[in-house]
Amino acid sequence: MTLTPFADEATALCIAGLTIENRLDRVSMFGSIDLTRDRAGLRQARELRALLDAVVTTLEREGPSLPEAVAVGQRIDTVKNPFD
């Protein structure tokens, strides 16, 4: 695993069809994954478990200083069109 949870705004990785994106205030996962009953499925399950273990460890380390909730949503800034 090459993603340190909550460490930057640029790291992303894929586990099969699941994409994981790192942010400073969240780790986003989207897509789908089939954990098949074979060696490939075992490898993918272990990768996913390692990622989630790292997320839980990071959050537990911060413990009581964690906010109750982080506002998640897209902020859209409107700027004047420079070509008008």
Side-chain angles (χ1 to χ4, degrees):
M1 181 179 66
T2 59
L3 185 147
T4 302
F6 314 108
D8 60 60
E9 293 277 336
T11 305
L13 62 89
C14 292
I15 301 173
L18 189 65
T19 300
I20 299 97
E21 293 180 346
N22 206 25
R23 303 290 304 269
L24 295 175
D25 63 347
R26 72 186 74 108
V27 174
S28 301
M29 297 182 208
F30 56 91
S32 66
I33 187 170
D34 292 316
L35 299 173
T36 51
R37 194 175 184 176
D38 54 18
R39 289 181 185 175
L42 176 59
R43 184 180 63 254
Q44 292 165 353
R46 285 179 173 157
E47 288 179 55
L48 190 55
R49 179 178 65 185
L51 172 67
L52 292 176
D53 284 345
V55 169
V56 169
T57 298
T58 301
L59 292 172
E60 287 177 340
R61 191 177 318 126
E62 294 182 24
S65 67
L66 287 172
E68 186 61 34
V70 171
V72 176
Q74 293 182 335
R75 190 178 114 200
I76 300 174
D77 292 331
T78 304
V79 296
K80 183 179 180 315
N81 184 341
F83 301 106
D84 282 343

